[in-house]
Amino acid sequence: MRSTYLKQLNSLEKELIVMGSLCEAIITKCVASIGVKDFDLAEVRTLEDEINQKERELENLCIRILLLQQPVAGDLKYISASLKMVTDLERIGDNAADIAETAMYINKRDDEGLHLIEKMGDGVIFMVRSALDAFVRRDKALAKEMIEYDNIIDDFFLKIKKKVISSIDKEEVDGESITDLMMCAKYLERIGDHAVNVAKWAIYAG
């Protein structure tokens, strides 16, 4: 029985890493789609489906461990936090897919706006990866760093917002394109918020 329990815990950790890697992949793909008119959404949809499937698998695994193994103390907190965390990872996948649906309509001539979005995307990927690492390694210090790092993501969002307002004021704007740019920034900000949640679960589980 103990051997089965340890295997299930090991499997849970490995599958969380897989789900996190899928989230990194979909964010990377979606940020790369910005301004690409003929971008093919098929790969993004496949990644989103894989993330949704992984969420279901991990939820089932967590529930099986909780019901059949009746873990206590630290393991109970870790498994309970994992069950909550997969919801945040699934929503990261949803927000990334929303970016891809929107991003291809952005005017690629807006070099400054695109540069800010790309930098924001890099920061969000770093946050997701590091928050998950903190959770798996039960590293509270790293988790706290990622909670603070969200301020950098928020700062990028504010810069993009100012860029949008400035463009509108100067009437230098393709209205649809600038709105889509703002929406992509908002989706990235939400991904950052979900990464913060993952970091908070790491602190709880640690």
Side-chain angles (χ1 to χ4, degrees), residues 49-154:
D49 287 343
E50 289 177 5
I51 289 169
N52 292 341
Q53 178 61 32
K54 192 61 63 180
E55 179 196 25
R56 290 189 289 271
E57 291 173 1
L58 280 163
E59 284 178 342
N60 288 336
L61 177 57
C62 288
I63 290 169
R64 282 203 309 274
I65 297 173
L66 290 170
L67 292 178
L68 300 178
Q69 304 297 343
Q70 297 182 333
V72 296
D75 285 346
L76 177 60
K77 290 176 73 175
Y78 185 80
I79 296 160
S80 299
S82 297
L83 188 57
K84 297 287 188 180
M85 191 181 77
V86 294
T87 300
D88 282 296
L89 292 177
E90 188 274 335
R91 287 176 182 165
I92 285 171
D94 288 345
N95 288 149
D98 288 336
I99 291 171
E101 295 279 357
T102 304
M104 66 182 75
Y105 302 107
I106 291 173
N107 191 332
K108 210 165 185 181
R109 288 174 297 178
D110 184 4
D111 294 334
E112 183 183 351
L114 289 175
H115 176 70
L116 287 170
I117 282 283
E118 287 167 2
K119 296 291 286 184
M120 191 177 183
D122 289 341
V124 161
I125 291 168
F126 172 70
M127 272 192 81
V128 171
R129 181 189 304 124
S130 299
L132 187 64
D133 284 347
F135 187 89
V136 171
R137 289 157 38 194
R138 306 192 189 199
D139 186 337
K140 290 186 178 182
L142 178 58
K144 289 175 182 177
E145 284 180 29
M146 288 307 100
I147 292 171
E148 290 299 317
Y149 192 88
D150 191 47
N151 292 328
I152 295 174
I153 303 303
D154 290 341

Side-chain angles (χ1 to χ4, degrees), residues 155-172:
D155 188 53
F156 273 121
F157 178 74
L158 291 175
K159 286 178 180 177
I160 293 168
K161 186 176 179 180
K162 287 177 183 177
K163 163 69 178 169
V164 169
I165 293 170
S166 174
S167 296
I168 292 171
D169 287 343
K170 294 175 183 177
E171 298 182 352
E172 300 173 345

